[in-house]
């Protein structure tokens, strides 16, 4: 008899992901994790949950600047490491089907974008919202601090525009976002993306797909070794 | 691009939060097969 009828194998493998929508490696990690889950023989038994993380929580909420300009302010104009980082991400992104347009990518405070992810989660649209926000940020160069832009994206996913604007106006989901940030601190997460498999194994960064496959395999084997 | 003479920072307030319990055992970090960390840090730098 398959162990999937009783015991832990009947429960989904939970992958908790800490991520920020202005983090280019998070966009890549999202795509690579998705590919690994598709390759995993038990992929239908994997549940991915996103958690809020803010790389730049001090960034003014009412401003948006080109991300390259922001990075040059912080790390120096013409920084060769910045160009190398972009080239590396563009190449790896292309392999994963992502179209990074760094010249139009905006730096914003992402708190309101995280509110939209939590709203979408309540409506069963968490992962589509994460995907949509990443594409808006890194391919379309949209301003994710603009409430009208965020409401437009919510409507695209079938959410109610008034609900989205109300969540933004009332600063909804503060408690959920604080809980995500607190849990990140508890886990010692200092950079994103960060992936936790079944509260047991962790992968830091947008690693190659084989790493994620390995994490899924180890998680599955760990369950088999310690049935409920 | 928006502009303003006032600076309004949106930060989730850091009062004690109701986080989910941390794992009972420490996480087992699976080391990368290759060299790059492939993360973005809190200073905004990604490598």
């Amino acid at each position: 008899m398959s162990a999937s009828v009783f015991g832990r194998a009947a429960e989904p493998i939970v992958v908790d992901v800490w991520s920020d929508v202005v983090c280019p490696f998070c966009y890549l990690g999202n795509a690579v994790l998705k590919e690994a889950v598709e390759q995993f023989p038990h992929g239908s038994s994997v549940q991915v949950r996103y958690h809020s993380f803010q790389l730049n929580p001090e960034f003014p909420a009412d401003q948006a600047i080109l991300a390259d300009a922001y990075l040059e302010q912080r790390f120096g104009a013409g920084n060769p490491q910045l160009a190398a980082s972009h080239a590396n991400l563009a190449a790896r992104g292309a392999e994963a089907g992502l179209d990074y347009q760094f010249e139009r990518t905006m730096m914003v405070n992402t708190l309101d974008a995280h509110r939209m992810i939590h709203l979408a989660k309540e409506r069963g649209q968490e992962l589509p919202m994460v995907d949509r926000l990443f594409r808006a940020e890194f391919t379309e160069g949209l301003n994710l601090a603009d409430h009208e832009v965020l409401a437009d994206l919510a409507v695209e996913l079938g959410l109610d525009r008034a609900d989205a604007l109300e969540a933004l106006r009332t600063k909804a989901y503060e408690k959920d976002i604080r809980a995500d940030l607190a849990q990140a601190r508890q886990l010692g997460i200092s950079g994103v993306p960060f992936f936790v498999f079944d509260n047991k194994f962790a992968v830091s960064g947008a690693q190659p797909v084989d790493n994620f496959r390995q994490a899924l395999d180890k998680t599955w084997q760990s369950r088999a070794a310690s049935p409920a | 691009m928006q502009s303003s003479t006032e600076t309004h920072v949106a930060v989730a307030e850091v009062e004690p939060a109701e986080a989910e319990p941390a794992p009972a055992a420490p996480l087992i970090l699976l080391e990368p097969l290759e060299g790059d960390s492939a993360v973005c840090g809190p200073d905004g730098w990604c490598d």
Side-chain angles (χ1 to χ4, degrees):
Chain A
M1 178 187 295
S2 165
S4 64
V5 177
F6 302 108
R8 292 201 65 206
E11 303 167 5
I13 288 178
V14 175
V15 184
D16 288 298
V17 186
W18 276 263
S19 163
D20 196 0
V21 296
V22 293
C23 158
F25 274 123
C26 298
Y27 190 19
L28 181 61
N30 176 59
V32 176
L33 174 64
K34 201 178 297 183
E35 183 181 348
V37 171
E38 287 171 1
Q39 292 178 8
F40 184 53
H42 313 287
S44 61
S45 298
V46 176
Q47 178 189 5
V48 178
R49 307 189 300 197
Y50 266 80
H51 300 272
S52 301
F53 192 93
Q54 283 197 280
L55 289 174
N56 301 302
E58 305 300 329
F59 195 89
D62 52 1
Q63 293 184 21
I65 64 172
L66 286 171
D68 276 356
Y70 170 80
L71 292 170
E72 287 183 354
Q73 285 173 13
R74 294 199 69 162
F75 304 110
N79 189 322
Q81 288 178 301
L82 182 59
S85 175
H86 282 0
N88 173 44
L89 273 160
R92 288 196 61 198
E95 289 175 5
L98 308 180
D99 180 17
Y100 284 104
Q101 297 289 330
F102 289 112
E103 73 281 2
R104 64 170 71 167
T105 297
M106 307 296 290
M107 178 56 67
V108 298
N109 188 301
T110 56
L111 190 53
D112 284 336
H114 285 294
R115 295 187 213 284
M116 290 297 94
I117 294 173
H118 284 277
L119 172 69
K121 183 177 184 177
E122 283 190 349
R123 307 292 193 271
Q125 294 289 322
E126 179 185 25
L127 301 185
M129 179 60 84
V130 169
D131 286 342
R132 188 65 190 92
L133 288 167
F134 277 139
R135 185 157 56 88
E137 169 70 13
F138 290 108
T139 298
E140 299 168 353
L142 299 181
N143 175 0
L144 297 185
D146 185 314
H147 289 190
E148 294 300 324
V149 168
L150 291 171
D152 287 346
L153 299 179
V155 169
E156 276 188 35
L157 299 178
L159 277 60
D160 185 81
R161 183 182 195 87
D163 281 356
L165 289 171
E166 180 71 2
L168 294 166
R169 187 186 67 78
T170 60
K171 302 187 185 307
Y173 306 106
E174 292 275 341
K175 183 177 171 184
D176 304 274
I177 294 168
R178 283 201 306 274
D180 284 345
L181 298 174
Q183 198 176 7
R185 284 193 297 275
Q186 285 178 350
L187 294 171
I189 297 171
S190 59
V192 285
F194 194 88
F195 306 83
V196 177
F197 296 76
D198 258 5
N199 268 345
K200 184 164 188 178
F201 298 104
V203 171
S204 175
Q207 300 300 329
V209 67
D210 285 351
N211 291 54
F212 290 98
R213 277 297 310 278
Q214 182 187 54
L216 290 166
D217 288 341
K218 279 183 177 292
T219 305
W220 191 262
Q221 289 161 8
S222 173
R223 286 180 165 208
S226 57
Chain B
M1 176 170 160
Q2 300 171 10
S3 64
S4 170
T5 54
E6 293 183 355
T7 299
H8 175 215
V9 176
V11 181
E13 295 180 19
V14 286
E15 66 186 53
E18 295 178 13
E20 291 183 25
L27 294 172
I28 301 167
L29 182 65
L30 303 177
E31 297 295 336
L33 300 175
E34 298 174 7
D36 289 345
S37 63
V39 300
C40 294
D43 60 355
W45 185 256
C46 304
D47 65 5

